[in-house]
Amino acid sequence: MGHRIAVTVNGTVREAEVEPRLLLVHFLREVLGLTGTHIGCDTTNCGACTVLLDGRAVKSCTIFAVQADGRAVMTVEGLARDGQLHPIQEAFHRQHGLQCGFCTPGMMMAAYALLQRLPDPTEEQIRWGIAGNLCRCTGYVNIVAAIKDAAEKLRTGPAAVGGRS
Ligand code: FES
Ligand code: FES
C-alpha cells in the first residue's frame, strides 16, 4: 500500500504516493524526474547519490522516501539560480574538477554541505568533507582545488551560498 508524502524539494513542495520501500534516490529520479542525482552503487559506498536532507549531506540510496516526508531536500538541480551557475559549479568548471562527471553532483552537494559548516576549510578538512564520495577519474586533486576556489569566491564574492533548500 502506498504512503502519501510531501517533501520540499529545491524549495517546492512535491507530493506523491509512494511504496514504503522506495528509496529517496528513486523518488527523486523516477517520480520527480530529477536525474541529476546519480546512482553509482546502491550500497552506500560511492556518494554519487548525495543530496541535502534538512541541510545535511546524506546518501539518498540509504534513505527511504517516506523518511523524507515533511522535510527539505536539496539536489544538484537546486544549486543554479535564475540560469546562473552556483559558485561551486563555476569552480568545478574553472578548476577542471571533473572528467566523466558521474561523481560530480554528489561531490558538489558534499562540498555545499561542507562549506555551509566550514566556510574556510583547510585542504585536510576538504578531503574529510568528501571522504564519503568516490571519484574513479580525477585523483581528487582538482576536486579539492575546486572546493577551495569555491570557498574563496563564496567568502569574498557578492553571492551568498545560495541554492534552494
Ligand atoms: S549510489 Fe548511493 S552511495 Fe553509491
Ligand atoms: S569525474 Fe568520473 S567519477 Fe569522478
Side-chain angles (χ1 to χ4, degrees):
M1 202 172 90
H3 285 249
R4 188 107 204 130
I5 60 170
V7 186
T8 302
V9 181
N10 300 329
T12 303
V13 178
R14 308 294 298 264
E15 291 186 48
E17 182 131 335
V18 299
E19 289 299 319
R21 284 186 300 171
L22 183 74
L23 296 173
L24 179 59
V25 68
H26 291 136
F27 174 69
L28 294 170
R29 288 177 56 86
E30 288 152 30
V31 179
L32 302 186
L34 295 171
T35 53
T37 302
H38 291 167
I39 304 172
C41 66
D42 231 347
T43 50
T44 323
N45 289 303
C46 74
C49 64
T50 304
V51 299
L52 302 192
L53 182 63
D54 288 341
R56 288 188 61 192
V58 296
K59 292 178 177 178
S60 59
C61 75
T62 308
I63 290 177
F64 294 118
V66 291
Q67 291 177 285
D69 186 24
R71 302 171 76 179
V73 172
M74 182 177 169
T75 70
V76 69
E77 287 91 346
L79 283 178
R81 252 191 196 175
D82 305 325
Q84 280 288 105
L85 290 180
H86 187 276
I88 292 174
Q89 294 171 305
E90 286 177 342
F92 269 72
H93 180 246
R94 203 166 35 242
Q95 300 293 339
H96 307 286
L98 61 140
Q99 287 180 29
C100 81
F102 200 85
C103 70
T104 312
M107 283 290 181
M108 291 196 297
M109 298 317 289
Y112 186 101
L114 172 73
L115 297 180
Q116 294 265 59
R117 210 161 25 87
L118 293 173
D120 189 10
T122 63
E123 175 168 341
E124 193 183 352
Q125 287 169 329
I126 292 173
R127 287 182 179 273
W128 275 112
I130 57 168
N133 295 66
L134 301 180
C135 176
R136 63 191 168 184
C137 305
T138 62
Y140 301 95
V141 171
N142 290 2
I143 292 174
V144 173
I147 297 172
K148 234 181 183 19
D149 182 351
E152 195 187 319
K153 293 288 178 302
L154 287 164
R155 283 196 317 274
T156 58
V161 168
R164 289 166 289 159
S165 56

